Structure formats: C-alpha cells, structure tokens
Amino acid sequence: MTALDDKINEHFAGFVVRKDLVKAVKGNAIVPTYVLEYLLGQYCATDDEASIATGIETVKDILRKHYVHRSEAGLVQSTIKEKGRYKVIDQVSVALNEKTDAYEAVFESLGIKRVAIDAATVKAHPKLLVTGVWCIADVQYEFSDDNRISPWIIDTLKPIQIARVDYEGYRQTRDHFTTEEWIDLLMQSIGFDPDAFGRRSKLLQLMRLIPFVERNYNIIELGPKGTGKSHIYSEFSPHGQLISGGEITVPKLFVNNSNGRIGLVGFWDVVAFDEFAGREKTANKALVDIMKNYMANKQFSRGVNPMGAEASFAFVGNTDHNVPWMLKNSDLFEALPPQFHDSAFIDRLHAYLPGWEVDIIRGQMFTSGYGFIVDYLAEILRHLRAEDFSNRPNRYFTVPVQTHIRDRAAIDKTMSGLLKLIFPNGGETEAEVEELLRLAIESRKRVKDQLLRIDSTFEKADFHYVGTDGAKRKVTTLEEEEFPQFYHRRPTGDEDDVIVLDGPEMPQNPAADVAEGDMGTVPSASGVAPKAFSPKAGHIVFTENRKGISFDKIFGPWTDGASRITITDPYIRRFHQARNVMEFIEMLIRRKAPEDQLAVHLITAPDDGNIQEQRECLDGITEACTDTGIDFSWTFDETGTMHARDISTDTGWKMVLDRGLDIFQPTPRKTNGFSLGERMQEHRMIRSFYVTYVKVS
C-alpha cells in the first residue's frame, strides 16, 4: 500500500475498495464494474488482508450462486421451481400490460417474461420502465391452471445501489487531501494508476466524468481505437446509459407519442452514444432536429406540450485519420455521420475532448490501489448536479462579456464540472483555477475553431481571459500549437495569420519557429529546402501531451558551430536519463560535419543509492562515442549544491531547462520491439516544460 492508500483508508473507511479486486471476482460474469464493486463494498471495504480474502470468497460465492449466465438459465429456472423461491442477480426491465392492467418484468439473462411485479416497486424505481437495470431480486414460482397468469412472481427487488451517502462528510474530508492527492484518488476510483499519467492526461480522464456531475452537458470525444472512450459510460455509474449510436430512436430517447411515455433523457443522468462516428452511417432527421433543440434548450417537443429533462449527452467515436490529416484536408469532426456533421449540432457541444491525446489502454495502466466504490462516488456526483460552481473563478479571472453566449455557457459548464470534481468544498488557489479555466476554454475553442471551417457564417471568436492584473491571456489548443501550418486553414484554402505558442506564459516568443519545424537543414518531403533559421534568445513553453518535438528542434540550431558543449544536470541517474544524454549526442552527430570534432562534458550529481549503475551508464556513453568525432566526458559535482539544469556552448548560447533533457513521457513497452515512440522522438508525448535561450557572449 502507498501512503495515499493509507490516507484514503483512514478518511474514507467503508467507502473505498482495492480496485484490482474486481478482476479477482469477476470470472466470466458479464456485469458492469459498479455491480461488482457494490458487492465488494459489502464485504471487502477494508485494508485488512484477511478480511479482504474472506470477502473475495464470499463475493465469488454470491456470483456463483446468484448471477445468472444465459447458458445456465434453464437450470436456474428449475431451481426456482423446485425451491419455490430463489435470489438472482440479473438485468431487469418492466412494461405495463394494458390488457391485464398489470406491470410485468423481463429478466434478461434468466430468459423469463411476464413476471408479476407490484406497482409500488415500479413507482419506487421508475427507470425499470425505460431500460434494463441491474437488480438483486427474489423470484418465486407459483403454477396456475389459468394460462393467462404467469407462474413467475417477484417477491422483493432491489436495484444495485449504495444505501448511505454522507454528502457533507465527503466535502469536508476532501480538505484532508492535497489537490494532487485528490486527483490521484479520483484516477484510482475509475481504475487507473495515476503514476502512468501526466497532469494534463489525468484532467482529460476526469473530463469524462463531467456529464455525471453537470446537468445538460454535451461533450464529444473522437480519437483512435482502444483508448477506453466508452468505459466510463458503461461501467462507472448506475445513473448512465450507454447505447449504440445507430440504435436510438425518437421514442426511445425522448418520448413515445402513442402512449406518452418519456424516454431515456427523463430517467438517466447521462446518455452516451457509443460508436457515434462513421461517415457511412445515417440518422433520422427528426431525431437530429429534436436532439439539437434539446441540447440547446433542455426541452423537446413531440406533440403539443414541450417537455424538459436534465440528462447530459456524451458522444464517443473513432477517427478515421490522424490530426494533421484532418486539419489539412477537412476538420476534426470529419468522422461524424453527415446528419451530425452540421454546424447547428456541433455548436451545441460544450466541449471536445481530444481523444488522440489519450493513450491506448494497456494492462500496466490499471491500479491496484484504493479508490471510491464507484456507486458511492456516482451518488456523490449526482448530488452535486444540483449545484452551480461556474461563478467561483470570477474572483481571479474574467472571461470577456463579449464572448458569444454559447461559448461562454460552454466554458462555464465545463469549469463548473471540473471544480465540482476536484474542489467540491472550495479552497482552490489562483494557479489551480487558471489551469482548469485554460482547459475549459480550450475544450470549447476546439469546437468553435472547427465550426469556422464548416460554416463560414460563424463569427471568429477570440478565446482569452483576463487576470486581476488586467492582462489578456490568450488560449490555444494543443493541436494549434503542434500544427499551426494547418490549423488556421479555411475550406477555401485561405489562412489566417498563424499564431504559434503565444500565450500569457510567453510574452515574447523568439523561438516560435520551433513549433513550425522550420529550422532543420534536411529538405522537406516536397524537395524544397526549408527557410533558413537563425537561433534567437528568448523563452518558450511547451504544453503537456504535445507530439512532434525533438532534441533536434529545440536544441539543434543553438548548438550548431560549437566545439565544446557543457550539460549541467544533477539528475542523470537512471537508465532513461542517461539514454536522454545519448540521444542528445546522436542529434549532435547528425548535425555536425563528419570531419568536425566536438567535446561534450556532463556535470551531474552522484546517485548514492545506485552509483554503480549510474557509472556504468555514463561510461557506456563514453565508449559509444569512440570514433564518432564526439569526445564525451563526465564528472560528479562534489559540492552537493547543484540544482540548476542547463546546456551551454562555447559559441555563447545557454539553454536553461526546468526538466533538463527529461522532457518525454514514458513510451509503452512493446514486447515485440515495434514502437515508433521508442525509435523516434517526434512520436513521443512530451511533459510540460520550458526552455530559456540566453546569449551570454
């Protein structure tokens, strides 16, 4: 157990569970995670290993005896008949039989229909009338000679849902955790190991939870396959419903005109549309029109009277092309069906979550730590839906009043949702608010910028905010920084003035060409040599999760012509850190003339607990440089006071680095060795870092 796990168990005893236990008990039971965690919460909500072991066996026994496998439905039916009554775990739905004026239930896996259920139970759990709900039920069998009467009867039925939730206790206990600890607790609660994610990647994962905590929130996530886009909506909460994008109808989603029965939006907090993308797909025009009205006004009308609901919509789907292709040839919504590739529909989306930034899910990304029982957290988030936190950032920052009303509403709702998730009891600092506000603005900007490509009648928006100092702070999207040559293109082929990495943290940007990739000496694919690049002094900040960055781009031009380079970094201790130095030297070898000699000297600090491995790595670099024209040497700083990281050249350039050469996120380990990220820096995601270029002589 980690220190965070100890803290979680100390403050939330009884409401957390070790997340790897789900795999231990699931077996071949095809049930959502929240069903399994409900059972684990009854028997394994502790950190005592003996109690956990006993609880796991109890839960396995319950699933073995009471979960109904379709292949064993006949056996379970026979057991109910012979015993007269039996407890089952199954997905149950209910419909009204108008001929008998009675409610009848259907047990999905058990395969029985027309099961008598009393009106009081249906009234207490109206979702049963809309779709299947996972329940624990006592089913009776009483045969009757009257074939109009079903022999199946429900004695008791309980939807799988946690009973006791102390909302105020949850809020107050939040204050015992730092912001980083709380974010990590939420990450573990949805099943992920926080150490496998950077800060921005964690926030993107948590954005998937906003529809559960914010009413009438519309979010879309498009990206590559295998990134877990639909996992949250299918496994996380009993208040969300995941449906296939091609299987929805107006009666099922909104209201059935023939009987007046309201659809999914009236009973669920979140309705998620899986596999929503696909240009070959078609959608009913009436459905699209009603959806657009509902997304804009929280109302829908079928017949005479308008109806209201508060369900949030989440749209998830796979992209057909990578980001630069979409930006150059189409737009970031190009994978949507034609009926939804519509400016009026897209304008009603509050946020676009960039799925291409989310890693493909791998086994090592899952946590074995403690997190909230998901049903407990789902009830907390549902309670917070009634509150509005959108005004809380106003004490620090102002979003200009001239911002379009839909843009402003979208930013406010995303901001409110993030604050509810991370700061349910307040206490956020100015820096923390700014981090979330930039993400909220960026998420809406991604929508609006693509709208300008799709429909030229939309007005261009200036996405920025103003601090208490009155300074305007511009917001850009990550793909805008990464592909400025494509981002601002319009369908006509015209381009706006490209703005690259020009945010509040970079009042001057002499290194802007780094983002454009225009300072190499290798001809482009078109055969046209790139424009000459002259290194300049200045400061540049790089956003987390960006790709396309390499040592050659951010260091190469400033090292050209040098005969001696000194790297000062106290943290060249582990293998991956030494590998970074080796890749820096590889860059120098590629850039220099074969006949030139270049001395590279590293000053680092000894790793007292691992000094032998450290020496072997550094000596290995020295040996590898033999006969390359690079004379590599290294030494330990013996003062013990070295903290700064920089690279200096005998040509007068000094590059100050907050992370040193350790700018890349870990790449996925592939057993077969075929990983582009391992071989090419441009295909790795970066950490957030800055470089300051100083001319010292």
Side-chain angles (χ1 to χ4, degrees):
M1 288 177 57
T2 65
L4 177 60
D5 288 330
D6 288 334
K7 195 170 186 177
I8 292 169
N9 274 285
E10 176 187 353
H11 294 289
F12 285 106
F15 297 106
V16 293
V17 69
R18 218 176 73 199
K19 289 295 173 170
D20 59 333
L21 299 183
V22 171
K23 289 183 179 179
V25 302
K26 186 165 187 175
N28 61 348
I30 308 172
V31 295
T33 298
Y34 67 81
V35 174
L36 297 175
E37 289 198 12
Y38 170 83
L39 297 172
L40 289 169
Q42 308 299 305
Y43 303 100
C44 301
T46 176
D47 59 350
D48 180 70
E49 290 297 331
S51 299
I52 288 174
T54 303
I56 287 175
E57 292 307 313
T58 302
V59 173
K60 284 183 176 179
D61 190 55
I62 290 172
L63 289 172
R64 184 166 52 249
K65 291 180 178 178
H66 302 293
Y67 169 70
V68 181
H69 294 269
R70 283 189 174 89
S71 60
E72 299 175 353
L75 178 61
V76 178
Q77 291 177 22
S78 175
T79 301
I80 299 172
K81 176 184 182 300
E82 296 302 325
K83 291 187 175 182
R85 173 188 305 201
Y86 193 69
K87 189 185 297 292
V88 300
I89 299 175
D90 201 352
Q91 199 170 20
V92 182
S93 58
V94 174
L96 175 64
N97 187 330
E98 297 172 347
K99 295 180 179 178
T100 61
D101 191 31
Y103 291 107
E104 295 175 346
V106 175
F107 283 69
E108 184 68 26
S109 297
L110 187 55
I112 58 176
K113 302 178 180 180
R114 299 179 56 222
V115 185
I117 181 171
D118 65 278
T121 301
V122 177
K123 187 175 181 180
H125 309 293
K127 286 183 181 177
L128 292 165
L129 292 165
V130 185
T131 190
V133 177
W134 283 94
C135 302
I136 299 175
D138 279 310
V139 182
Q140 292 180 316
Y141 183 88
E142 295 180 6
F143 180 75
S144 172
D145 291 330
D146 188 346
N147 58 12
R148 294 173 299 175
I149 300 176
S150 171
W152 306 104
I153 302 169
I154 293 177
D155 182 39
T156 62
L157 181 142
K158 182 180 183 297
I160 290 177
Q161 201 167 359
I162 201 161
R164 182 174 62 89
V165 176
D166 180 4
Y167 303 108
E168 289 307 313
Y170 172 88
R171 289 177 186 271
Q172 293 168 12
T173 308
R174 161 65 179 92
D175 295 337
H176 294 286
F177 293 79
T178 66
T179 300
E180 193 63 38
E181 288 174 337
W182 189 256
I183 290 174
D184 287 353
L185 169 53
L186 293 176
M187 287 293 291
Q188 291 186 180
S189 296
I190 60 178
F192 291 124
D193 178 2
D195 290 340
F197 297 81
R199 174 76 167 210
R200 178 179 169 90
S201 294
K202 292 176 186 178
L203 294 178
L204 292 179
Q205 289 287 344
L206 296 186
M207 276 189 68
R208 293 171 168 174
L209 298 180
I210 295 179
F212 291 99
V213 78
E214 196 70 23
R215 292 172 174 169
N216 300 104
Y217 184 76
N218 308 314
I219 187 171
I220 190 167
E221 178 180 357
L222 301 176
K225 298 177 182 178
T227 57
K229 292 184 286 294
S230 61
H231 169 79
I232 285 291
Y233 308 109
S234 63
E235 301 282 326
F236 174 75
S237 171
H239 303 307
Q241 183 72 11
L242 180 70
I243 56 178
S244 173
E247 295 180 358
I248 194 63
T249 62
V250 171
K252 184 176 181 180
L253 186 59
F254 292 107
V255 65
N256 189 324
N257 272 357
S258 62
N259 55 24
R261 186 179 300 158
I262 198 167
L264 296 171
V265 296
F267 295 92
W268 298 90
D269 292 348
V270 181
V271 179
F273 301 84
D274 194 15
E275 300 176 359
F276 186 68
R279 286 171 291 176
E280 74 287 351
K281 294 181 179 179
T282 58
N284 181 279
K285 185 178 184 303
L287 172 66
V288 177
D289 290 341
I290 296 175
M291 285 179 71
K292 287 192 289 190
N293 185 58
Y294 173 75
M295 291 165 68
N297 306 313
K298 309 172 189 177
Q299 291 185 332
F300 54 93
S301 178
R302 287 279 285 172
V304 180
N305 298 321
M307 302 180 183
E310 56 185 54
S312 296
F313 281 169
F315 305 94
V316 296
N318 299 326
T319 49
D320 299 321
H321 303 98
N322 63 17
V323 173
W325 191 98
M326 289 188 285
L327 291 176
K328 182 179 180 180
N329 298 287
S330 181
D331 57 77
L332 297 180
F333 289 99
E334 62 109 18
L336 293 187
Q339 292 84 354
F340 290 103
H341 195 268
D342 171 78
S343 59
F345 171 80
I346 292 172
D347 192 29
R348 286 153 171 79
L349 296 169
H350 296 117
Y352 189 142
L353 199 161
W356 48 86
E357 286 190 48
V358 181
D359 263 346
I360 293 175
I361 302 301
R362 308 181 302 277
Q364 61 265 40
M365 296 170 68
F366 295 109
T367 184
S368 58
Y370 282 80
F372 291 120
I373 298 169
V374 289
D375 194 32
Y376 167 78
L377 182 57
E379 292 302 316
I380 293 290
L381 301 187
R382 190 178 203 206
H383 178 79
L384 287 169
R385 286 171 71 86
E387 303 193 31
D388 180 12
F389 288 6
S390 59
N391 291 326
R392 283 194 359 203
N394 292 352
R395 55 187 159 155
Y396 299 123
F397 305 103
T398 302
V399 177
V401 293
Q402 66 266 31
T403 302
H404 189 279
I405 186 170
R406 279 199 179 138
D407 297 332
R408 180 63 180 267
I411 295 167
D412 285 348
K413 289 182 78 68
T414 302
M415 193 65 194
S416 176
L418 289 170
L419 288 172
K420 288 177 186 179
L421 290 169
I422 304 173
F423 302 100
N425 206 36
E428 61 274 9
T429 66
E430 180 176 352
E432 290 167 338
V433 170
E434 183 169 22
E435 177 184 33
L436 300 183
L437 181 60
R438 291 186 68 85
L439 182 60
I441 295 175
E442 175 194 337
S443 299
R444 174 58 185 181
K445 184 179 191 296
R446 185 172 290 108
V447 174
K448 195 60 174 286
D449 286 351
Q450 302 311 300
L451 275 174
L452 295 174
R453 290 169 170 253
I454 296 168
D455 189 340
S456 59
T457 62
F458 276 85
E459 294 183 7
K460 184 177 178 181
D462 181 11
F463 285 89
H464 70 277
Y465 58 99
V466 179
T468 52
D469 57 358
K472 175 181 174 180
R473 309 185 187 189
K474 191 174 182 63
V475 175
T476 57
T477 68
L478 188 60
E479 57 274 12
E480 183 176 6
E481 298 174 3
E482 193 170 351
F483 306 107
Q485 68 273 38
F486 301 135
Y487 192 85
H488 296 279
R489 287 184 173 175
R490 299 290 173 258
T492 59
D494 296 333
E495 298 186 19
D496 293 344
D497 293 333
V498 176
I499 301 172
V500 183
L501 296 172
D502 186 16
E505 66 273 46
M506 297 160 285
Q508 295 180 348
N509 186 27
D513 289 332
V514 170
E516 299 181 58
D518 286 332
M519 69 273 199
T521 57
V522 180
S524 65
S526 64
V528 179
K531 66 184 181 183
F533 175 80
S534 177
K536 299 177 282 290
H539 180 70
I540 184 168
V541 175
F542 293 87
T543 307
E544 183 181 329
N545 286 358
R546 181 172 169 177
K547 289 185 179 180
I549 299 301
S550 66
F551 288 168
D552 191 72
K553 287 187 176 182
I554 60 177
F555 300 130
W558 287 266
T559 62
D560 288 344
S563 58
R564 182 173 179 82
I565 295 174
T566 302
I567 305 170
T568 304
D569 188 337
Y571 301 105
I572 307 299
R573 302 180 179 185
R574 303 293 179 181
F575 172 79
H576 77 277
Q577 294 165 332
R579 188 187 69 169
N580 290 333
V581 176
M582 189 68 210
E583 291 186 349
F584 180 80
I585 291 173
E586 290 171 5
M587 178 271 295
L588 296 175
I589 292 173
R590 285 193 296 268
R591 294 188 70 95
K592 77 178 188 64
E595 67 275 14
D596 289 346
Q597 292 291 312
L598 173 59
V600 179
H601 183 63
L602 168 68
I603 305 172
T604 189
D607 182 4
D608 294 334
N610 197 40
I611 196 166
Q612 182 59 35
E613 181 183 343
Q614 184 184 21
R615 286 180 177 275
E616 290 176 359
C617 288
L618 297 178
D619 287 342
I621 297 175
T622 303
E623 183 179 347
C625 290
T626 302
D627 200 30
T628 63
I630 298 287
D631 178 19
F632 177 76
S633 59
W634 63 272
T635 186
F636 285 140
D637 172 68
E638 301 299 340
T639 66
T641 60
M642 183 173 67
H643 295 288
R645 305 188 214 189
D646 59 63
I647 299 172
S648 58
T649 73
D650 60 356
T651 56
W653 283 110
K654 184 173 185 177
M655 291 159 274
V656 181
L657 317 165
D658 65 330
R659 286 190 178 274
L661 297 174
D662 197 11
I663 65 172
F664 297 105
Q665 298 182 29
T667 54
R669 291 290 179 183
K670 298 288 186 68
T671 56
N672 59 12
F674 295 103
S675 169
L676 279 176
E678 283 289 312
R679 303 185 64 83
M680 300 175 67
Q681 290 183 336
E682 292 86 348
H683 286 267
R684 301 176 198 167
M685 283 188 177
I686 63 170
R687 307 175 192 269
S688 174
F689 72 96
Y690 70 76
V691 183
T692 302
Y693 303 91
V694 181
K695 187 69 172 176
V696 294
S697 61

